[in-house]
Amino acid sequence: MKLQYFKQSLPKQFIISNLSVIFVALVCYISIDFIGYRSVALLLLATVSILAIFFSLYPVLMAATMSALIWDYFFIPPHFTFLVRSSEDILLLLMYFVIALINGVFTSRVRQFEKIERQKEERHNTIKLYKTLFDSLSHELRTPIATIVGASDNLMLNELNISDADKQELVGQISSSAFRLNRLIDNLLNMQRLESGMLKIKPDWCEISELINSPINWLEKELATHKLGIEIQEDFPIVKLDAGLIEQALFNVLHNETLYTPEDSTISVQASYKNNCITIVISDNGKGFTEQDLTMLFSKFYRSGTKVAGGTGLGLSIVKGFLEAHGGTVKVENNIPHGAKFSIEIPTEIIKMDDYLSFSNANTKAGDK
Amino acid sequence: MDARQTILIIDDEIQIRRLLEITLTANDYKTIEADNGKDGCSMAASFNPALIILDLGLPDQDGLDVLNKLREWFTNPVIILSARNSEEYIIKALDRGANDYLTKPFRTGELLARIRVATRQNSRQQEARLEFGNLTIDLDKHLAYKNAEIIKLTSTEFSLLALMAKNEGRVLTHTYILKEIWGYGYTEQTQYLRVFIAQLRKKIEDNPSKPTLLITESGIGYRFSGI
């Protein structure tokens, strides 16, 4: 059973519960001639029960006590005294009290039980997540480390007969393994920033080709084996967003595509804008994704069935996190006729370049010189 | 007498110091080392090195404080080493007088290029005519030429180009450029800079969407690369 639970502050809960008791009492008082004072007890009891569903123990107990007193004072004859004449009414009042109290205590028990269950479930999920993380991490860390250890061992043992070309390759492997480790650390740090809720975006004005070029430059080596096409809509305005995060997001998508597409595939980046929203579409003509991939791709630690070296299952969930921090979205679908297509949308302030050129030319220090 | 330039390395990590020492010695520099800020400062005072490589994460003092102390009297170049993802820290260091920065992990080729740029910088500032491939900038006449043809530049565009070119190879922070070109009141107006850099690239770059002269240093500033 899952009860809905309003997360109001305690003082608020006291105020709301008292007010609702008073309100119901007032309505009852007006219509007392039609309903009779005994059914008022039931109506008040119903109110307290409803409050017990949403609020915590003490406000409910308070409401229970108050409603009992109100009923006694205003409704049980003689009116406007706490005096109760008939033994029937005394019994009713007592029963009212007991039921209201049981109500309060019982629901708070249920809620406590639920809380414990929820904590258990959360703990279970965290353990599962950590297990996946550590499984993935230890593998992802060990592979490049093993490469570095092995390659440097070979280079250190002079008696081995290694050709110069092979030596070069070993050195290259050490270098690329190190960069792979570095990328992994970047992703872990970014993940941690997202998870801890410490991520604050710092939007500043940026220019679209700079945004797109940075990740492309970082991926120079990986992209060398691919064909790359960039299309930017004419007269693209400057936009206000956190360039560091968006560049990292674009990097992760692009890196993903270089990993999962064969050599000589084409990767294309298209940027367009409409009103106060920019769209960046990154697509390739590789194999694309399975149905399961498409639904799971942005989940943490999800790795496609066709695992490739270098993935951690973190990259794309970071993309999603960074875009959501901007109020943006990322979607993935299969490209036509084949391949993957990531569509990134970011709402942003824009400034048309032309508006600025004329104004700020007149406004320069250099102009006075 | 030893004609090699002396470089002081201030870094607490022995591995990084060894790596730098091997790299620099192989490239004809002489190195001296300190593993904390205090020793670094006193070694700078006694040896007056041609350049200092300063790690920002030191055990005894904040790297920025060390930089402040050095800059009270030390006028030769300082290159900052720092961890990645710390743009704000790097910007602070650059604004406090560091000449350049490298993030760990760095490529040694990149390190050597930065050292070369930093050590020859002072000589370039004096020239009136700067040439970079097919681009020529005449600082006296306020004119720029591409393939010997005059490029039509507004005065702001020319000032921006001249500022960048005079500091060839050196990273200039957004704040610094805005202050130099537009003035103190404009240091937050990054939109000006974005617009004008884009505009300038259209005029001077062979391929404005893949700039080779005006290089973006993501989150930090711009660098003019004349090579």
Side-chain angles (χ1 to χ4, degrees):
Chain A
M1 181 170 71
K2 262 211 163 155
L3 294 179
Q4 239 193 341
Y5 184 33
F6 282 149
K7 288 220 168 91
Q8 307 268 22
S9 67
L10 213 56
K12 254 196 196 160
Q13 291 191 17
F14 272 109
I15 294 169
I16 294 173
S17 49
N18 282 342
L19 281 180
S20 31
V21 167
I22 291 170
F23 175 74
V24 173
L26 210 66
V27 172
C28 292
Y29 195 76
I30 295 164
S31 42
I32 187 76
D33 292 341
F34 304 101
I35 54 177
Y37 76 94
R38 280 184 180 150
S39 37
V40 172
L42 283 175
L43 284 171
L44 284 172
L45 202 57
T47 313
V48 173
S49 308
I50 291 168
L51 288 173
I53 297 174
F54 298 109
F55 290 165
S56 39
L57 182 61
Y58 292 106
V60 173
L61 288 185
M62 169 100 185
T65 317
M66 227 189 58
S67 60
L69 294 176
I70 288 177
W71 185 51
D72 183 1
Y73 193 78
F74 291 100
F75 294 94
I76 302 179
H79 294 169
F80 306 114
T81 71
F82 286 112
L83 213 72
V84 183
R85 285 237 182 85
S86 80
S87 52
E88 207 184 336
D89 284 344
I90 293 177
L91 192 66
L92 259 174
L93 186 61
L94 270 176
M95 288 314 288
Y96 180 94
F97 235 142
V98 171
I99 293 171
L101 287 182
I102 289 174
N103 242 331
V105 174
F106 182 68
T107 41
S108 90
R109 279 254 182 96
V110 168
R111 204 168 291 133
Q112 229 163 22
F113 178 71
E114 220 181 60
K115 201 171 149 192
I116 293 167
E117 280 296 298
R118 210 181 307 132
Q119 275 172 345
K120 259 192 212 162
E121 204 184 303
E122 265 169 27
R123 206 176 311 138
H124 181 73
N125 279 343
T126 321
I127 292 170
K128 218 169 93 188
L129 212 61
Y130 268 96
K131 200 181 163 319
T132 331
L133 173 66
F134 284 119
D135 284 351
S136 157
L137 259 191
S138 51
H139 174 257
E140 288 309 318
L141 284 168
R142 282 221 180 89
T143 315
I145 290 173
T147 317
I148 292 172
V149 170
S152 49
D153 274 353
N154 281 340
L155 289 170
M156 272 189 285
L157 294 171
N158 285 324
E159 66 265 32
L160 283 182
N161 203 356
I162 307 175
S163 69
D164 280 354
D166 282 351
K167 272 187 192 162
Q168 274 299 315
E169 193 185 330
L170 289 177
V171 174
Q173 279 182 7
I174 293 177
S175 164
S176 63
S177 301
F179 279 100
R180 187 169 149 188
L181 285 173
N182 194 46
R183 243 189 341 259
L184 182 63
I185 291 166
D186 280 345
N187 272 340
L188 281 173
L189 288 175
N190 285 328
M191 199 72 233
Q192 194 266 340
R193 282 165 82 194
L194 280 169
E195 289 287 287
S196 64
M198 296 286 279
L199 185 80
K200 275 208 186 89
I201 64 164
K202 287 179 230 133
D204 197 357
W205 293 105
C206 15
E207 200 248 322
I208 190 74
S209 61
E210 291 187 346
L211 271 185
I212 293 176
N213 273 323
S214 296
I216 288 174
N217 287 339
W218 300 335
L219 282 165
E220 203 177 1
K221 222 174 108 200
E222 288 83 349
L223 282 167
T225 51
H226 290 68
K227 294 185 202 104
L228 181 70
I230 303 173
E231 267 176 64
I232 296 174
Q233 190 179 337
E234 285 268 312
D235 296 322
F236 209 97
I238 48 174
V239 292
K240 197 171 191 180
L241 38 81
D242 190 319
L245 298 188
I246 297 301
E247 282 167 5
Q248 184 67 52
L250 295 177
F251 173 88
N252 284 6
V253 173
L254 281 165
H255 184 238
N256 196 81
E257 296 203 332
T258 59
L259 282 179
Y260 286 84
T261 51
E263 282 191 10
D264 279 332
S265 305
T266 304
I267 295 177
S268 80
V269 184
Q270 289 159 307
S272 56
Y273 75 97
K274 202 177 183 186
N275 301 328
N276 281 1
C277 186
I278 64 168
T279 306
I280 301 171
V281 177
I282 303 176
S283 53
D284 64 54
N285 61 353
K287 284 197 219 77
F289 293 108
T290 63
E291 280 302 313
Q292 196 197 359
D293 286 346
L294 289 176
T295 50
M296 298 288 289
L297 212 54
F298 295 106
S299 323
K300 221 181 299 169
F301 305 121
Y302 176 75
R303 298 204 49 194
S304 155
T306 51
K307 286 188 185 180
V308 224
T312 47
L314 285 176
L316 291 178
S317 63
I318 290 170
V319 172
K320 185 165 171 259
F322 281 2
L323 284 162
E324 282 171 357
H326 277 85
T329 54
V330 54
K331 276 181 292 190
V332 63
E333 58 195 314
N334 276 326
N335 207 358
I336 297 165
H338 54 89
K341 182 175 167 188
F342 290 87
S343 309
I344 290 169
E345 274 187 24
I346 315 164
T348 166
E349 287 175 53
I350 61 170
I351 291 181
K352 292 268 189 195
M353 294 230 196
D354 295 342
D355 296 349
Y356 259 75
L357 285 171
S358 47
F359 169 67
S360 21
N361 260 328
N363 224 328
T364 348
K365 231 170 86 175
D368 323 326
K369 275 180 189 168
Chain B
M1 198 192 139
D2 197 342
R4 293 179 302 168
Q5 288 182 304
T6 305
I7 294 180
L8 169 61
I9 303 162
I10 309 177
D11 194 317
D12 60 319
E13 292 285 343
I14 176 96
Q15 286 196 325
I16 298 283
R17 287 206 308 275
R18 279 296 293 152
L19 171 74
L20 289 172
E21 190 198 323
I22 293 170
T23 315
L24 294 174
T25 316
N27 285 279
D28 259 353
Y29 294 102
K30 203 175 122 192
T31 60
I32 46 176
E33 299 168 21
D35 62 3
N36 61 66
K38 195 167 154 275
D39 291 357
C41 285
S42 58
M43 283 180 84
S46 30
F47 292 91
N48 195 22
L51 182 140
I52 295 178
I53 297 175
L54 172 67
D55 180 68
L56 284 183
L58 291 171
D60 59 331
Q61 299 174 46
D62 189 331
L64 286 177
D65 292 338
V66 178
L67 181 65
N68 278 343
K69 266 179 224 155
L70 285 171
R71 274 296 176 236
E72 283 169 15
W73 60 273
F74 184 77
T75 50
N76 285 343
V78 177
I79 293 180
I80 295 297
L81 280 188
S82 124
R84 253 193 88 177
N85 300 330
S86 46
E87 283 91 355
E88 277 177 55
Y89 212 50
I90 294 170
I91 289 173
K92 271 187 195 156
L94 290 169
D95 285 339
R96 290 180 192 196
N99 294 59
D100 213 328
Y101 74 98
L102 282 165
T103 51
K104 290 177 184 172
F106 51 88
R107 313 303 299 250
T108 47
E110 199 68 38
L111 169 75
L112 293 166
R114 300 291 165 84
I115 291 176
R116 274 195 296 274
V117 165
T119 46
R120 71 145 188 245
Q121 221 150 57
N122 293 333
S123 55
R124 190 106 217 194
Q125 297 261 357
Q126 312 301 324
E127 290 171 37
R129 204 179 163 86
L130 305 172
E131 284 182 36
F132 312 94
N134 60 14
L135 180 76
T136 308
I137 303 166
D138 190 327
L139 295 173
D140 279 342
K141 293 186 186 141
H142 271 236
L143 288 173
Y145 306 85
K146 188 171 174 172
N147 299 320
E149 273 177 51
I150 291 187
I151 314 169
K152 279 188 187 163
L153 294 175
T154 66
S155 64
T156 311
E157 285 164 359
F158 185 84
S159 312
L160 183 57
L161 176 62
L163 175 72
M164 295 303 302
K166 273 193 277 187
N167 292 287
E168 182 207 345
R170 178 175 179 180
V171 59
L172 302 182
T173 61
H174 298 141
T175 319
Y176 178 79
I177 304 173
L178 283 161
K179 195 182 73 196
E180 288 295 308
I181 305 291
W182 283 274
Y184 271 99
Y186 291 82
T187 51
E188 304 286 315
Q189 312 291 318
T190 40
Q191 68 273 35
Y192 288 90
L193 193 54
R194 300 298 183 195
V195 170
F196 276 85
I197 290 280
Q199 208 59 25
L200 198 51
R201 276 179 178 152
K202 277 186 202 156
K203 296 184 180 179
I204 65 166
E205 297 280 358
D206 291 332
N207 178 3
S209 62
K210 216 170 161 35
T212 54
L213 292 166
L214 282 171
I215 307 296
T216 308
E217 292 284 323
S218 192
I220 312 239
Y222 291 95
R223 185 193 299 277
F224 190 91
S225 162
I227 314 132

